[in-house]
Amino acid sequence: MKPIALDAMGGDNAPAEIVSGAVLAAQRGIAVALVGQAEVVLSHLKETSYQGNLVAVVDAPQVADSEEAPVKAMRNKPQSSIAVGIGLVKKGDASAFVSAGSTGVVVATAILDLGKMKGVDRPALGIIYGTRNGHALLLDVGANADTRPDYLLQFAFLGNLYMELVLGRKQPRIGLLNNGEEKSKGNQLTRTSYSLLRSSTLNFIGNVESKDLFRGVADVVVTDGFTGNMVIKANEGFGESLFWHLSNTFNSRWNLRLLGLLLRPTLNAFKLNMDYREYGGAPLLGVRGNVIVAHGRSRAQAICSALLQAQQIASQGLAEILKGGIAVNVTTTGD
Amino acid sequence: MKPIALDAMGGDNAPAEIVSGAVLAAQRGIAVALVGQAEVVLSHLKETSYQGNLVAVVDAPQVADSEEAPVKAMRNKPQSSIAVGIGLVKKGDASAFVSAGSTGVVVATAILDLGKMKGVDRPALGIIYGTRNGHALLLDVGANADTRPDYLLQFAFLGNLYMELVLGRKQPRIGLLNNGEEKSKGNQLTRTSYSLLRSSTLNFIGNVESKDLFRGVADVVVTDGFTGNMVIKANEGFGESLFWHLSNTFNSRWNLRLLGLLLRPTLNAFKLNMDYREYGGAPLLGVRGNVIVAHGRSRAQAICSALLQAQQIASQGLAEILKGGIAVNVTTTGD
């Protein structure tokens, strides 16, 4: 299989942690093409003292500016690591692209260069997360800050296809993230989306509240990219604050410190189950190629996870499987 | 001081837990007027074997229907516990109203019967929550599912006033809940709101991500009621799932069970710090009267907390202090 193109310049801890992440993945047998300013990347690579032949460097002289509006950034930097990396996927020289850089730029570039799947107006970022009894897919978690009901319906069909074809789930239960379970609940977007989903051929189970995401009541939960992003970041912050409080407590007295040591495996297991970063990144669903957006704060281990996930998705042939696109089917009038 | 009117019929655990909550508060010296179907409420009150004279019952023959649209529910049930309870506040027979019932009906009734403060188009639900270094106010957490930038600006002035006058915070730091720190981030609503806040006389510190809420970077964080509600419910769900995992772990082996017992005080302290329910409910800011919305799933202890909070707010004369209303001031052009 072709190597996975990795954006060496994207993210809060680039390029050092990204390069280290590539090496970790290479040590697990994954071929990685580090895309970035060649000199900088090579000097970091040297520091890792990696001796194998699974890490290559592809030069991309420009660095995307996360302060710039995505489309502008994309136009101004045709030789950025994001543009070059996605170009490798397009040419078939890479099996997937992974970036911890600007989500907006990655999404815009992927849509423009790789193209959208048939039936998809807006590709969406999805994350697979652990529930109490399995796994579920939440989308969109950040590709579209402003969304329309018909886009949410497409997200649902996209998620449905992903769960069916990639994860082998039969008749996935589709839920709509909302601020209450009753169908009258919601804002304009969710109330109209509810009717659309209700009238579709999907196995729509109704509204899902954000507090119930981890209960595993649905296999696919759809939301707009703004709300989805807010919810996963809220969970992230809550988890961090809890661990901050716990470690403060544990370090305040020696017997509690002991307790902390004893408890660590349990807490880590929970983090692993709840923290989507441990699963790697968020696959961009709806484009004609395998693109994974990793967390901006990713360190080496998280980058390695994202590469492992990319490898899995690429070997399953996600983009190939989904290339037929989605067909939005509506049978009855929503109530 | 006048008693606090308490909606005996609202919430998932009404009336039994609500009545028990009233008794708990009465045992701490708070006068409560239980508003609901008198016979039902009296029979529950008898079961608590409360002997004091601080709990009264006010008859409200109708029960609001949470499935109905708020304005409709309000019109159809002029004798509901919500309508009667807010009526007591209006007439000056109660110092505050507390309800765990339908947020929509409480908000709509309070606006119609008590009226809005000067300068406020949309009252907002605010919650005071514990951060790593103090407390902060998040609003709106559910009164307005659909919001406009000028409403968000009003929320900011409302929160500013609350923090200054009620909590004595000088020049409160105002933040905008958003999906990134950079000013270019957000959806249409937050990007326009950013400019408005930027050009106001407030001490606006910029965007705050949901993951940073608990870090205490701002004293007041404004958001639309849909997103605010999503974020607090996400935290609630994350906390619940963590405790579920921990208790599963603790119960799986006897030595871990011991660990769980040892750890309980720490975890409870964290819950207390993070869980807004422990602080009582969410005050409805911007109406001419003291109204507190408690969590729909409140049990007796949470209702007691909400009553304690209502008592505190009423004794501080919140509605009196804020009756002058807000004046939205804009000095410069936003950038």
Side-chain angles (χ1 to χ4, degrees):
Chain A
M1 206 167 77
K2 298 284 180 184
I4 293 161
L6 173 63
D7 177 3
M9 315 307 280
D12 300 350
N13 307 303
E17 293 283 329
I18 311 291
V19 174
S20 301
V23 169
L24 286 177
Q27 284 162 348
R28 297 179 66 167
I30 294 178
V32 181
L34 276 164
V35 186
Q37 294 178 309
E39 252 180 79
V40 179
V41 176
L42 278 169
S43 86
H44 280 284
L45 190 57
K46 244 175 218 156
E47 276 173 33
T48 67
S49 57
Y50 173 70
Q51 300 290 332
N53 60 358
L54 284 175
V55 179
V57 175
V58 176
D59 190 40
Q62 296 177 314
V63 178
D65 180 359
S66 68
E67 287 284 332
E68 254 180 340
V71 176
K72 210 170 162 188
M74 196 175 65
R75 285 203 188 118
N76 291 347
K77 304 274 175 66
Q79 288 298 308
S80 76
S81 51
I82 292 172
V84 173
I86 287 176
L88 292 174
V89 174
K90 191 181 183 183
K91 283 181 284 182
D93 291 339
S95 58
F97 176 64
V98 173
S99 175
S102 160
T103 302
V105 179
V106 173
V107 171
T109 309
I111 289 174
L112 197 78
D113 286 3
L114 301 175
K116 290 178 285 192
M117 277 169 47
K118 202 182 133 202
V120 175
D121 285 310
R122 293 283 184 285
L125 282 173
I127 57 161
I128 296 283
Y129 65 95
T131 66
R132 292 189 191 177
N133 47 24
H135 292 90
L137 171 68
L138 176 68
L139 80 169
D140 176 21
V141 297
N144 309 276
D146 290 293
T147 315
R148 301 185 334 204
D150 52 333
Y151 296 161
L152 277 190
L153 183 64
Q154 291 177 9
F155 297 169
F157 275 93
L158 211 44
N160 187 61
L161 201 66
Y162 185 87
M163 288 310 263
E164 273 189 346
L165 297 185
V166 181
L167 297 186
R169 199 78 52 98
K170 278 185 184 133
Q171 283 208 297
R173 295 161 302 161
I174 313 288
L176 172 66
L177 191 62
N178 211 341
N179 63 353
E181 285 180 10
E182 303 89 345
K183 72 169 186 178
S184 64
K185 286 291 172 82
N187 55 14
Q188 284 173 9
L189 174 68
T190 56
R191 281 197 305 267
T192 311
S193 301
Y194 187 100
S195 296
L196 282 182
L197 286 161
R198 194 45 147 194
S199 66
S200 76
T201 50
L202 294 167
N203 179 17
F204 179 57
I205 58 144
N207 291 324
V208 174
E209 290 194 79
S210 55
K211 70 178 166 59
D212 295 326
L213 281 173
F214 293 118
R215 287 180 189 273
V217 292
D219 299 305
V220 176
V221 180
V222 293
T223 183
D224 65 280
F226 184 83
T227 304
N229 198 267
M230 284 305 202
V231 164
I232 60 172
K233 283 185 179 159
N235 286 336
E236 189 183 328
F238 189 88
E240 278 177 13
S241 279
L242 175 65
F243 290 105
W244 181 86
H245 275 268
L246 286 177
S247 72
N248 268 10
T249 306
F250 291 150
N251 291 329
S252 64
R253 278 159 53 192
W254 71 267
N255 55 340
L256 286 176
R257 195 176 300 195
L258 193 67
L259 202 63
L261 286 175
L262 287 166
L263 198 65
R264 192 165 294 166
T266 304
L267 289 174
N268 282 344
F270 178 76
K271 274 179 92 167
L272 204 75
N273 194 42
M274 291 294 171
D275 190 342
Y276 72 97
R277 280 174 292 175
E278 299 291 336
Y279 289 97
L284 180 62
L285 301 174
V287 292
R288 297 170 179 271
N290 300 315
V291 175
I292 308 270
V293 175
H295 197 289
R297 293 196 286 168
S298 293
R299 295 195 171 276
Q301 192 54 57
I303 291 296
C304 176
S305 298
L307 288 166
L308 290 171
Q309 192 194 13
Q311 176 83 355
Q312 195 196 353
I313 284 174
S315 65
Q316 284 172 322
L318 173 65
E320 284 302 304
I321 290 174
L322 300 184
K323 77 178 172 191
I326 57 165
V328 170
N329 290 313
V330 173
T331 49
T332 59
T333 314
D335 48 26
Chain B
M1 208 166 77
K2 298 283 180 186
I4 293 162
L6 173 63
D7 177 3
M9 315 306 281
D12 299 350
N13 307 302
E17 293 283 328
I18 311 291
V19 173
S20 301
V23 169
L24 286 178
Q27 284 161 349
R28 297 179 66 168
I30 294 179
V32 181
L34 277 165
V35 185
Q37 294 178 309
E39 250 179 82
V40 179
V41 177
L42 277 169
S43 86
H44 279 284
L45 190 57
K46 245 176 217 156
E47 276 174 34
T48 67
S49 58
Y50 173 70
Q51 300 291 332
N53 59 359
L54 285 174
V55 179
V57 175
V58 175
D59 189 40
Q62 297 177 313
V63 178
D65 180 359
S66 69
E67 287 283 334
E68 254 180 341
V71 176
K72 210 169 162 190
M74 196 175 63
R75 286 204 188 115
N76 291 347
K77 303 274 174 68
Q79 289 297 309
S80 76
S81 51
I82 293 172
V84 172
I86 287 176
L88 292 175
V89 173
K90 191 182 182 184
K91 284 182 282 181
D93 291 340
S95 58
F97 176 64
V98 173
S99 175
S102 160
T103 302
V105 179
V106 172
V107 171
T109 309
I111 289 174
L112 197 77
D113 287 2
L114 300 174
K116 291 179 283 193
M117 277 169 45
K118 205 184 131 200
V120 176
D121 285 312
R122 292 283 185 283
L125 282 172
I127 58 160
I128 296 284
Y129 64 95
T131 65
R132 292 189 192 178
N133 48 23
H135 293 91
L137 172 68
L138 176 68
L139 80 169
D140 178 20
V141 298
N144 309 275
D146 289 293
T147 314
R148 302 186 332 205
D150 52 332
Y151 296 162
L152 277 190
L153 184 63
Q154 292 177 9
F155 297 170
F157 274 93
L158 212 44
N160 188 60
L161 201 66
Y162 185 87
M163 288 309 262
E164 273 190 345
L165 297 185
V166 181
L167 298 185
R169 200 76 54 98
K170 280 186 182 130
Q171 286 208 295
R173 296 161 302 162
I174 312 289
L176 173 67
L177 192 63
N178 211 340
N179 64 353
E181 286 180 11
E182 304 89 345
K183 70 169 185 177
S184 64
K185 287 293 173 80
N187 55 13
Q188 285 173 9
L189 174 67
T190 56
R191 281 198 305 269
T192 311
S193 301
Y194 186 100
S195 296
L196 282 182
L197 286 161
R198 192 49 147 187
S199 65
S200 76
T201 50
L202 294 167
N203 179 17
F204 180 57
I205 59 145
N207 291 325
V208 174
E209 290 194 78
S210 56
K211 71 180 166 57
D212 295 326
L213 281 173
F214 293 119
R215 287 181 188 274
V217 293
D219 300 304
V220 177
V221 180
V222 292
T223 183
D224 65 278
F226 183 83
T227 304
N229 198 266
M230 284 306 202
V231 164
I232 60 172
K233 282 185 180 159
N235 286 336
E236 189 183 328
F238 189 88
E240 277 176 11
S241 280
L242 175 65
F243 290 105
W244 181 84
H245 275 268
L246 286 177
S247 72
N248 269 10
T249 306
F250 291 149
N251 291 329
S252 64
R253 277 158 55 190
W254 71 267
N255 55 340
L256 286 176
R257 195 176 299 196
L258 193 66
L259 201 63
L261 285 176
L262 286 166
L263 197 66
R264 191 164 295 167
T266 304
L267 289 174
N268 283 343
F270 178 76
K271 273 180 95 169
L272 203 75
N273 194 43
M274 291 294 172
D275 189 342
Y276 73 96
R277 280 173 293 174
E278 298 291 336
Y279 289 97
L284 180 62
L285 301 175
V287 293
R288 297 171 180 269
N290 299 315
V291 175
I292 309 270
V293 175
H295 198 290
R297 293 196 286 168
S298 293
R299 296 197 171 273
Q301 192 54 57
I303 291 296
C304 176
S305 298
L307 288 166
L308 290 171
Q309 191 194 15
Q311 174 83 354
Q312 195 197 354
I313 283 174
S315 64
Q316 284 173 322
L318 173 64
E320 284 302 304
I321 291 174
L322 299 184
K323 78 178 172 192
I326 58 164
V328 170
N329 291 312
V330 173
T331 49
T332 59
T333 316
D335 47 22

